[in-house]
Amino acid sequence: MSLAADDPLAPFEAAVNYHDWTPSNDGAQVISADMFAAARTSIADWPNYAPTPLYQLPALARRTGIAEVMFKDEGPRFGLKSFKALGGAYAVQALLAEHRGEAETGAENITVTCATDGNHGRSVAWGAQTFGCACVIFIHAEVSEGRARAIEAYGARVVRVDGNYDDSVHAAASAAEENGWYVISDTSYEGYMEVPKRVMAGYGVIAAEIIAEIGDAPPPTHTFLQGGVGGFAGAMAEAFHQHWGDGAPRMIMVEPELAACLYRSAEAGRMTEIPVDEETLMAGLSCGVPSVVAWDILAARAGGFMTIPESMVAPAMQLMANPLDGDPSIEAGESAIAGLAGFVAGTRKTEIKQAIDLGAESRVLLIGTEGATDPDVYAALLAQSG
Ligand SMILES: Cc1ncc(COP(=O)(O)O)c(C=O)c1O
């Protein structure tokens, strides 16, 4: 066996794409500090609320030649296994609060719906069950049975449609139109901004917990965040900017090569849709159309865009589960590790390190956005050999 085969970081030598981006920093504040605060107050009141852990990975920092790696693990979030627990469920709660007291639209007469590749639908279904309304969730052809069952477990009806994620978005929208249901989408488009903004305000709880834990210590210098439609990263970018201003970490977006709608938007210099012809293993990131709200924030706040190949997914999950000497073992699902993979790959490419000023003094923040949301898929990828 060659030395490289023994090196758990060797898979990150593979080629990645990097597109440099200078944040315009002009964009209007699309999610206000008040919206973030309202979401935080509501969510902190939910039963079993607890901040998720922020781990230090000193061995990984040493091996990648930087000062510090922090990893926030969203796996334990409200027992739903992903950060998405915060967004959809909060938007459902806020919608029902708006309709409280109206005879014909009381919660029991309201049906919420959305399209999902798994995690967002689970959150909306959980929110509907918790706050007391009906729920129908649309999934596409490739969503695993395990993920469908997890949504049904919260009492929602699950409808599987032909095609990909974008097709399921259209199916949910038409069904809502026909039946008078409320769409709780995590992605925004012209004419549909308020609900996705609330979803993103819910995600802001993650940023608030990180900010509270870091306290008066210096903020991270870089954060590598995975992108699907961009809502998660956009929420982090905006919340960090509101707190740290120009001292906020440089944010590098990381997407699968197979679904790089934000990367292509950066290349084109404007929001761009792409066809998703082949599903990535990183199911939560398999999106061809950016969220309008998210893109506006990212154009103003991002500091670089990357794509990673499929070959890095299993090695990155394995690196978290079987870590380097002394680092904690963390259960991180397929879509959780894109930021980590982008970071490690970046440390092995001089041009990227130079472009983003990544070096011995850097303190990097990563956010593991899900645990083993589909235990069968997780086990199969952990067992895969390189
Ligand atoms: C685990 C996980 N991480 C990251 C994302 C990306 O979030 P967004 O689509 O808001 O960019 C998703 C989206 O479903 C996800 O499920």
Side-chain angles (χ1 to χ4, degrees):
M1 216 189 270
S2 74
L3 249 184
D6 288 334
D7 175 3
L9 301 193
F12 303 98
E13 290 292 347
V16 296
N17 295 305
Y18 175 72
H19 185 84
D20 208 35
W21 188 263
T22 307
S24 68
N25 271 326
D26 54 15
Q29 240 180 48
V30 228
I31 301 180
S32 66
D34 284 351
M35 278 188 82
F36 279 127
R40 228 166 38 234
T41 307
S42 291
I43 291 170
D45 232 26
W46 293 355
N48 303 320
Y49 167 75
T52 53
L54 181 65
Y55 294 106
Q56 291 286 335
L57 308 182
L60 183 62
R62 271 194 306 279
R63 280 288 285 278
T64 49
I66 67 157
E68 191 177 346
V69 177
M70 285 159 268
F71 190 98
K72 173 114 169 135
D73 175 17
E74 285 295 304
R77 188 67 80 181
F78 284 114
L80 267 73
K81 296 201 182 167
S82 97
F83 81 102
K84 291 252 159 183
L86 297 165
Y90 170 64
V92 171
Q93 183 184 29
L95 175 88
L96 296 182
E98 267 173 11
H99 289 281
R100 193 168 294 136
E102 296 172 12
E104 70 287 10
T105 47
E108 61 285 358
N109 296 322
I110 286 183
T111 299
V112 290
T113 188
C114 72
T116 187
D117 33 43
N119 293 331
H120 174 65
R122 197 180 296 197
S123 178
V124 170
W126 177 61
Q129 187 180 62
T130 307
F131 302 112
C133 68
C135 181
V136 182
I137 303 289
F138 288 80
I139 57 173
H140 64 79
E142 300 293 322
V143 175
S144 72
E145 261 312 299
R147 294 199 158 100
R149 281 196 302 273
I151 297 168
E152 282 167 347
Y154 293 111
R157 181 152 72 85
V158 173
V159 180
R160 192 182 282 277
V161 300
D162 285 340
N164 63 17
Y165 173 74
D166 300 313
D167 297 312
S168 61
V169 171
H170 294 303
S174 342
E177 176 87 36
E178 268 166 42
N179 299 299
W181 299 342
Y182 292 86
V183 176
I184 304 290
S185 174
D186 55 353
T187 196
S188 59
Y189 38 89
E190 284 314 325
Y192 182 80
M193 304 282 189
E194 291 316 306
V195 170
K197 279 190 197 173
R198 280 184 186 154
V199 169
M200 290 171 68
Y203 301 161
V205 165
I206 303 166
E209 289 173 1
I210 292 169
I211 288 166
E213 193 150 343
I214 289 177
D216 293 335
T221 55
H222 298 75
T223 183
F224 290 73
L225 299 181
Q226 42 274 25
V229 301
F232 160 67
M236 297 306 104
E238 199 50 46
F240 290 153
H241 189 83
Q242 284 175 16
H243 183 76
W244 281 310
D246 291 343
R250 180 173 185 144
M251 190 183 71
I252 316 298
M253 293 303 307
V254 186
E255 294 174 281
E257 252 167 47
L258 292 176
C261 63
L262 302 169
Y263 184 91
R264 299 288 166 221
S265 297
E267 272 187 336
R270 69 190 145 72
M271 203 185 108
T272 301
E273 298 188 18
I274 53 146
V276 173
D277 299 323
E278 198 184 324
E279 290 297 324
T280 162
L281 285 168
M282 295 167 266
L285 312 183
S286 185
C287 309
V289 187
S291 165
V292 174
V293 171
W295 174 252
D296 282 353
I297 296 176
L298 296 179
R301 308 270 182 244
F305 290 80
M306 285 178 80
T307 71
I308 54 162
E310 296 294 296
S311 63
M312 290 181 185
V313 177
M317 291 166 67
Q318 291 164 7
L319 179 62
M320 294 312 292
N322 314 306
L324 302 175
D325 244 7
D327 281 357
S329 166
I330 298 169
E331 185 185 85
E334 310 85 86
S335 298
I337 48 65
L340 167 83
F343 155 63
V344 179
T347 60
R348 299 171 89 88
K349 284 153 190 96
T350 313
E351 27 354 312
I352 296 181
K353 284 175 71 173
Q354 279 172 355
I356 63 175
D357 202 14
L358 185 67
E361 307 291 311
S362 301
R363 296 180 307 278
V364 169
L365 169 68
L366 304 169
I367 303 176
T369 40
E370 67 178 352
T373 47
D374 186 326
D376 294 341
V377 174
Y378 180 81
L381 285 165
L382 267 205
Q384 196 170 299
S385 57

